[in-house]
C-alpha cells in the first residue's frame, strides 16, 4: 500500500467511526474522556521516554530553544494534558442543542439542532500536547479525529495517540474514532488535504509555512489557525508602570507561543520616559531589541540595539527578540498593526477612553485588549476549555475555538402530511 492509499484508508476508518460516535450520549463521551486522562497518567513513563528520544534527535538537528520548549514533555506537562481532558467533562455537551425552534406558516415544526462536523483532521508541528487536546475536543464534540503530528514530535505523538485511542475504545467508543498518521513523510499531509468528501475539515497548527501550504493546497475546508505577530501599543495616556508589566508579560512569559508580543509600539510623547527601563529589563532577560531610529535613541548606554527593518515589523520571532517602534499617536499605531499584524491578538495600554475605543474599533484582529497582556488569548483563559487553535479568519470560527466551533447544525422538520403547492 503506497502512502496515499494508506492515508486514505486511515481517513476512511475515521469516517466509519464518526457515524456511531455522533450518536453516543454525553455520559458515554465523558466516561471516555475520564479514561483517556487516566491512561495518560498510567502511561506517563512510556510517553516521556518517547519524548526524550524526540528531544535528543531534535537537539542533534540544531533545533532552536523555542521549538525545543514546545516539544518537551515533562510529568508536569503530562498531568496538565490529563487535567485538560478532565476539564472537558465539565463543559456542556455541544451536540443536540436546539438553536432555533418555530412553527412555519404551513404548520411544519422546524428545529435547528447542533451536530458534529464528522471527521476532523488536525495537522501540527512540534507540539505533542496538541495530540491530547485535539483528540479530547474532537471526542467531546462527537467528531472522529485524524491526527498528523510533525516529524520532530513523531515518537511522542504516536505514543500519546496510541494510548488515547486504546483508552477511548476500551471505554466503549467506536474503534478508529482517534486515528493517527505516523509517517514522517510530508507527502502524508498533502495526501490528507486531498480527501474532500472523506475529511470534513482540516485544521493546521504550526508555523506560517505550514498554514500557508494548507490554505493554498487543500481541497478540504480549512480553519486557519494563524501566526501571531502580536503588538502592544503604549499610548501617551498610559500608566507607564502598568505598561511595563504588560509588555514584559506579553513578551517574556513564554517566547514560543502564538500570543506572545513581537512588537512594542510607543507614543513619541512618552518614549523617553518609558523605553529606557523596558529596554534595560528586556536586555537583562536576553531579549534582542530591534529598534527604529527614534526608539534606539532612548536606549540606555549599556543596552545594545539592532536597527529595525520592514522584516522586523513582519516577523513572528517565537523567541527572545522584540521589535520596537516609536509612533506619532493612536492612528499611526492602528495603521501599523493593521498592516503588519496577523489578526491574532493586539493590545493598547491607555487611560484615554477615546484612544482605547478607537484602537478596539479599528484594529482588525480576533482579540483586541485594553490594559491587559496578549497572553490571555487562550481557550482555557476565555472559559472555553482546551482549545484546538486560535483562528485568525472570519468565517465559522474566530479567536480561540474549541467545542462549539467543531459543530455544525441541521434542520429537523416534522409534519402531518403537508405538501407544497
Amino acid at each position: 500500500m503506497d502512502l496515499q492509499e494508506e492515508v486514505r484508508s486511515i481517513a476512511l476508518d475515521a469516517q466509519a467511526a464518526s457515524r456511531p460516535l455522533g450518536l453516543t450520549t454525553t455520559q458515554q463521551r465523558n466516561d471516555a474522556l475520564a479514561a483517556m486522562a487516566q491512561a495518560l497518567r498510567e502511561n506517563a513513563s512510556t510517553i516521556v521516554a518517547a519524548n526524550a528520544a524526540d528531544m535528543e534527535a531534535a537537539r542533534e538537528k540544531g533545533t532552536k530553544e523555542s521549538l525545543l520548549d514546545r516539544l518537551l514533555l515533562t510529568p508536569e506537562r503530562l498531568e496538565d494534558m490529563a487535567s485538560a481532558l478532565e476539564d472537558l467533562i465539565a463543559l456542556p455537551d455541544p451536540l443536540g442543542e436546539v438553536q432555533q425552534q418555530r412553527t412555519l406558516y404551513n404548520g411544519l415544526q422546524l428545529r435547528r439542532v447542533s451536530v458534529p462536523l464528522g471527521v476532523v483532521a488536525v495537522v501540527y508541528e512540534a507540539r505533542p500536547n496538541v495530540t491530547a487536546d485535539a483528540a479530547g475536543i474532537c471526542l467531546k464534540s462527537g467528531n472522529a479525529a485524524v491526527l498528523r503530528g510533525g516529524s520532530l514530535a513523531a515518537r511522542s505523538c504516536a505514543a500519546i495517540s496510541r494510548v488515547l485511542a486504546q483508552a477511548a475504545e476500551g471505554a466503549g467508543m467506536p474503534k478508529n474514532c482517534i486515528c493517527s498518521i505516523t509517517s514522517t513523510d510530508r507527502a502524508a499531509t498533502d495526501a490528507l488535504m486531498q480527501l474532500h468528501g472523506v475529511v470534513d475539515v482540516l485544521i493546521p497548527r504550526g508555523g506560517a509555512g505550514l498554514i500557508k501550504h494548507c490554505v493554498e493546497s487543500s481541497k478540504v475546508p480549512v480553519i486557519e489557525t494563524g501566526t501571531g505577530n502580536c503588538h502592544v501599543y503604549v499610548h501617551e495616556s498610559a500608566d507607564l508602570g502598568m505598561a511595563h508589566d504588560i509588555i514584559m508579560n506579553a513578551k517574556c512569559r513564554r517566547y514560543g507561543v502564538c500570543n506572545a508580543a513581537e512588537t512594542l509600539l510607543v507614543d513619541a510623547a512618552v518614549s523617553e520616559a518609558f523605553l529606557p527601563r523596558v529596554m534595560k529589563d528586556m536586555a537583562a532577560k536576553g531579549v534582542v531589541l530591534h529598534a527604529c531610529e527614534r526608539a534606539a535613541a532612548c536606549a540606555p548606554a549599556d543596552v545594545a540595539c539592532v536597527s529595525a527593518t520592514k522584516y522586523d515589523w513582519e516577523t513572528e520571532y517565537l523567541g527572545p527578540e522584540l521589535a520596537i517602534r516609536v509612533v506619532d499617536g493612536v492612528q499611526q499605531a492602528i495603521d501599523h498593526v493593521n498592516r503588519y499584524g496577523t489578526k491574532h491578538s493586539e493590545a493598547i495600554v491607555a487611560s484615554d477612553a477615546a484612544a482605547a475605543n478607537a484602537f478596539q474599533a479599528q484594529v482588525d484582529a480576533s482579540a483586541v485588549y485594553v490594559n491587559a497582556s496578549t497572553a490571555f488569548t487562550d481557550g482555557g483563559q476565555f472559559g472555553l476549555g482546551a482549545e484546538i487553535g486560535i483562528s485568525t479568519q472570519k468565517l465559522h470560527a474566530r479567536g480561540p475555538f474549541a467545542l462549539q466551533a467543531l459543530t455544525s447544525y441541521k434542520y429537523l422538520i416534522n409534519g402531518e402530511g403537508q405538501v407544497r403547492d
Side-chain angles (χ1 to χ4, degrees), residues 7 155 244 342:
V7 171
R155 300 172 187 86
H244 171 275
T342 52

Side-chain angles (χ1 to χ4, degrees), residues 13 42 52 66 75 77 149 170 240 252 298 328 407:
D13 286 343
E42 292 174 352
S66 59
R77 289 187 178 185
L240 299 187
C252 302
C298 298
D328 297 311
T407 64

Side-chain angles (χ1 to χ4, degrees), residues 229-251:
N229 186 16
C230 306
H231 301 72
V232 172
Y233 164 50
V234 180
H235 185 258
E236 63 180 349
S237 68
D239 177 316
L240 299 187
M242 176 194 294
H244 171 275
D245 293 346
I246 285 173
I247 185 57
M248 294 300 296
N249 178 261
K251 176 72 246 182

Side-chain angles (χ1 to χ4, degrees), residues 5-333:
E5 291 175 343
E6 178 185 344
V7 171
R8 182 176 179 82
S9 177
I10 291 169
L12 285 170
D13 286 343
Q15 185 182 51
S18 70
R19 299 182 181 108
L21 179 62
L23 299 175
T24 55
T25 66
T26 305
Q27 189 61 53
Q28 287 172 325
R29 279 176 274 124
N30 285 344
D31 288 346
L33 289 168
M36 290 159 64
Q38 185 59 27
L40 284 180
R41 295 185 176 107
E42 292 174 352
N43 291 275
S45 59
T46 300
I47 295 169
V48 169
N51 181 252
D54 282 336
M55 289 291 292
E56 182 180 357
R59 289 192 182 98
E60 289 176 357
K61 291 179 180 179
T63 304
K64 61 184 182 179
E65 285 299 321
S66 59
L67 278 180
L68 289 175
D69 178 61
R70 290 185 177 194
L71 177 60
L72 176 65
L73 288 179
T74 63
E76 292 75 20
R77 289 187 178 185
L78 270 174
E79 178 56 35
D80 289 343
M81 289 161 57
S83 296
L85 290 174
E86 291 172 334
D87 289 343
L88 288 169
I89 296 172
L91 295 176
D93 188 347
L95 302 182
E97 177 189 352
V98 179
Q99 300 171 343
Q100 295 180 15
Q101 185 170 2
R102 61 183 182 273
T103 302
L104 303 183
Y105 72 95
N106 50 18
L108 290 173
Q109 302 295 315
L110 180 144
R111 289 173 294 148
R112 194 175 88 175
V113 180
S114 59
V115 296
L117 292 174
V119 178
V120 175
V122 185
V123 180
Y124 50 103
E125 293 178 331
R127 293 183 175 188
N129 64 295
V130 172
T131 307
D133 287 348
I137 293 167
C138 286
L139 189 135
K140 175 78 175 190
S141 56
N143 295 287
V146 179
L147 308 175
R148 168 66 166 93
S151 57
L152 277 180
R155 300 172 187 86
S156 308
C157 294
I160 295 167
S161 61
R162 182 169 56 251
V163 165
L164 295 178
Q166 290 173 351
E169 186 180 350
M173 293 296 101
K175 184 179 181 180
N176 298 316
C177 67
I178 299 171
C179 294
S180 179
I181 296 173
T182 57
S183 170
T184 57
D185 190 332
R186 292 185 179 182
T189 299
D190 292 332
L192 190 60
M193 291 191 295
Q194 306 312 305
L195 296 178
H196 184 268
V198 180
V199 175
D200 292 285
V201 67
L202 178 78
I203 302 172
R205 286 194 62 176
L210 171 67
I211 294 167
K212 183 174 186 289
H213 179 61
C214 290
V215 169
E216 293 179 352
S217 305
S218 181
K219 292 181 180 178
V220 175
V222 175
I223 298 179
E224 184 177 351
T225 59
T227 53
N229 186 16
C230 306
H231 301 72
V232 172
Y233 164 50
V234 180
H235 185 258
E236 63 180 349
S237 68
D239 177 316
L240 299 187
M242 176 194 294
H244 171 275
D245 293 346
I246 285 173
I247 185 57
M248 294 300 296
N249 178 261
K251 176 72 246 182
C252 302
R253 176 184 167 273
R254 285 186 69 185
Y255 297 122
V257 292
C258 60
N259 57 22
E262 305 290 19
T263 298
L264 169 63
L265 303 174
V266 182
D267 268 346
V270 293
S271 59
E272 292 182 5
F274 178 70
L275 281 175
R277 180 189 171 198
V278 167
M279 297 171 90
K280 190 175 185 68
D281 289 350
M282 287 286 181
K285 287 185 172 291
V287 177
V288 177
L289 304 176
H290 302 261
C292 75
E293 187 175 346
R294 289 196 289 178
C298 298
D302 58 346
V303 173
C305 294
V306 179
S307 294
T309 67
K310 181 173 178 285
Y311 169 82
D312 295 295
W313 310 141
E314 297 171 338
T315 299
E316 181 189 27
Y317 295 115
L318 294 175
E321 299 183 71
L322 179 69
I324 306 176
R325 181 185 180 188
V326 174
V327 295
D328 297 311
V330 65
Q331 194 57 54
Q332 190 175 35

